[in-house]
């Protein structure tokens, strides 16, 4: 079986959020899709280890914030590579709570959906939550970010709990560049000197060694010392 065929599937990039009483949480998900239009019903696939999973099971509601191509790696890393078990992801975040109470991310978001869970399916590592859309709105005309864009342009990785995660051993890392690439040992982000990290002010063509010491991984936020040469 050629598992890479699965990489050819198209997805978007979303922040799926829910709540438990006063506690709010959200996470990056690419597996969000519409099932029916009358009534509007969507499905999301959420890893059972994630706090958002626990919150959706309890509250029976979730929201989906649709990210624009302008969403930077910090926002994606904030929701995608850190656990809400360790800190409140919505502190210092621009958000609002909609009719279901689930938070809606108001940064780099082109629109949102609010859903009530009408069914769920246990699929081993993940649960497929089926939600009836009870509210939705468009917030901007910006282009939605696709999963392919995230991988190609942003150099993004899938966290180990993502449905689309494939271990590093199954990938061949192309390495013929003169300047060395460095990998974040925490989240797997690869710093490519040719691309730099423009979101954090690192110009394309900057070797890893020349990056200021206070620079942090654009995805998970750890310091340079957590990077290894590849
Ligand atoms: Fe990282």
């Amino acid at each position: 079986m050629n598992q890479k065929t699965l990489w050819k599937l198209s997805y978007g990039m979303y922040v799926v959020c829910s709540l438990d009483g006063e506690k709010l949480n959200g996470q990056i998900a690419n597996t969000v899709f519409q099932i029916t239009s009358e009534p509007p019903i969507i499905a999301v696939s959420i890893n059972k280890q994630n706090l958002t999973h626990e919150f959706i099971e309890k509250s029976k509601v979730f929201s989906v914030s649709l990210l624009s191509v302008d969403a930077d790696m910090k926002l994606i890393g904030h929701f995608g590579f850190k656990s809400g078990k360790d800190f409140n992801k919505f502190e210092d975040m621009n958000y609002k709570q909609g009719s279901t109470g689930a938070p809606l991310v108001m940064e780099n978001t082109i629109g949102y959906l609010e859903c009530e869970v009408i069914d769920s399916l246990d699929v081993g590592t993940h649960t497929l939550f089926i939600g009836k859309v009870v509210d939705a709105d468009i917030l901007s005309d910006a282009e939605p970010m696709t999963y392919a864009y995230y991988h190609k342009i942003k150099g993004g990785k899938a966290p180990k709990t993502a449905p689309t995660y494939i271990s590093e051993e199954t990938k061949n890392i192309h390495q013929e560049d003169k300047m060395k690439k460095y990998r974040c040992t925490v989240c797997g982000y690869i710093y490519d000197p040719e691309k730099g990290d423009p979101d954090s002010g690192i110009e394309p063509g900057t070797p890893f060694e020349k990056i200021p010491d206070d620079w942090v991984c654009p995805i998970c936020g750890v310091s340079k010392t957590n990077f290894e040469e590849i």
Side-chain angles (χ1 to χ4, degrees), residues 3 7 147 157-169 171:
Q3 204 166 339
W7 297 5
Y147 197 53
K157 296 278 159 200
K160 289 195 169 108
T161 53
T164 43
Y165 175 79
I166 295 173
S167 74
E168 210 49 56
E169 294 83 71
K171 299 177 187 174

XYZ file of all heavy atoms in Angstrom, residues 3 7 147 157-169 171:
144
model
N 0.964 4.606 1.230
C 0.257 5.446 2.196
C 0.272 6.923 1.810
O -0.556 7.708 2.255
C 0.886 5.255 3.578
C -0.081 5.594 4.696
C 0.405 5.086 6.043
O 1.225 4.183 6.105
N -0.113 5.666 7.100
N -2.018 11.526 1.261
C -1.588 12.930 1.293
C -2.226 13.731 0.170
O -2.193 14.954 0.175
C -0.057 13.038 1.159
C 0.711 12.402 2.268
C 0.212 11.667 3.302
C 2.123 12.431 2.455
N 1.226 11.237 4.108
C 2.415 11.682 3.618
C 3.164 13.023 1.747
C 3.714 11.515 4.083
C 4.463 12.854 2.216
C 4.725 12.111 3.374
N -4.873 22.502 3.803
C -3.867 21.673 4.481
C -2.608 21.584 3.628
O -1.488 21.608 4.142
C -4.476 20.288 4.717
C -3.762 19.445 5.733
C -3.500 19.933 7.017
C -3.391 18.140 5.444
C -2.867 19.147 7.966
C -2.761 17.338 6.390
C -2.500 17.844 7.648
O -1.881 17.054 8.570
N 3.854 20.613 10.040
C 3.826 19.180 10.345
C 2.480 18.818 10.944
O 1.766 19.673 11.441
C 4.897 18.853 11.394
C 6.294 19.095 10.921
C 6.777 17.936 10.100
C 7.923 18.377 9.214
N 8.142 17.503 8.102
N 2.206 17.519 10.959
C 1.027 17.036 11.682
C 1.486 16.584 13.063
O 2.455 15.856 13.175
C 0.398 15.872 10.928
N 0.800 17.036 14.137
C 1.165 16.504 15.450
C 0.830 15.015 15.519
O 0.034 14.525 14.719
C 0.312 17.312 16.422
C -0.751 17.949 15.619
C -0.303 17.988 14.194
N 1.450 14.313 16.474
C 1.273 12.861 16.542
C -0.179 12.439 16.757
O -0.551 11.312 16.458
C 2.149 12.285 17.651
C 3.624 12.326 17.272
C 4.468 11.445 18.171
C 5.863 11.282 17.611
N 6.897 11.975 18.332
N -1.010 13.351 17.286
C -2.402 12.984 17.547
C -3.321 13.293 16.364
O -4.517 13.071 16.441
C -2.926 13.731 18.796
O -2.686 15.124 18.624
C -2.251 13.239 20.055
N -2.770 13.819 15.264
C -3.604 14.155 14.107
C -3.970 12.892 13.324
O -3.167 11.970 13.225
C -2.871 15.125 13.202
N -5.177 12.847 12.744
C -5.566 11.672 11.969
C -4.652 11.454 10.772
O -4.483 10.328 10.303
C -6.983 11.979 11.488
C -7.443 13.183 12.193
C -6.248 13.860 12.802
N -4.057 12.540 10.281
C -3.242 12.449 9.075
C -1.754 12.318 9.369
O -0.932 12.390 8.480
C -3.480 13.708 8.212
O -3.484 14.845 9.065
C -4.793 13.614 7.479
N -1.395 12.096 10.649
C 0.007 11.998 11.031
C 0.663 10.750 10.432
O 0.105 9.660 10.473
C 0.141 11.951 12.557
C 1.558 11.731 13.037
C 2.458 12.781 13.065
C 1.987 10.469 13.437
C 3.757 12.596 13.497
C 3.289 10.271 13.868
C 4.177 11.333 13.902
O 5.463 11.141 14.321
N 1.842 10.917 9.862
C 2.639 9.786 9.386
C 4.031 9.963 9.974
O 4.610 11.050 9.903
C 2.713 9.753 7.839
C 1.311 9.493 7.269
C 3.667 8.653 7.380
C 1.240 9.595 5.762
N 4.565 8.908 10.553
C 5.815 9.052 11.293
C 6.965 9.453 10.376
O 6.968 9.164 9.186
C 6.165 7.758 12.021
O 6.616 6.803 11.090
N 7.937 10.108 10.977
C 9.074 10.671 10.254
C 9.847 9.592 9.491
O 10.384 9.838 8.426
C 9.993 11.348 11.281
C 10.780 12.530 10.776
C 9.968 13.554 10.035
O 8.980 14.085 10.561
O 10.351 13.811 8.884
N 9.859 8.372 10.028
C 10.623 7.291 9.396
C 10.085 6.942 8.011
O 10.791 6.433 7.161
C 10.593 6.013 10.264
C 11.285 6.130 11.598
C 10.398 6.765 12.653
O 9.451 6.096 13.081
O 10.634 7.922 13.020
N 9.034 9.032 5.908
C 9.281 10.111 4.966
C 10.753 10.156 4.595
O 11.617 9.797 5.382
C 8.904 11.460 5.585
C 7.444 11.564 5.954
C 7.225 12.902 6.620
C 5.814 12.970 7.165
N 5.615 14.186 7.932
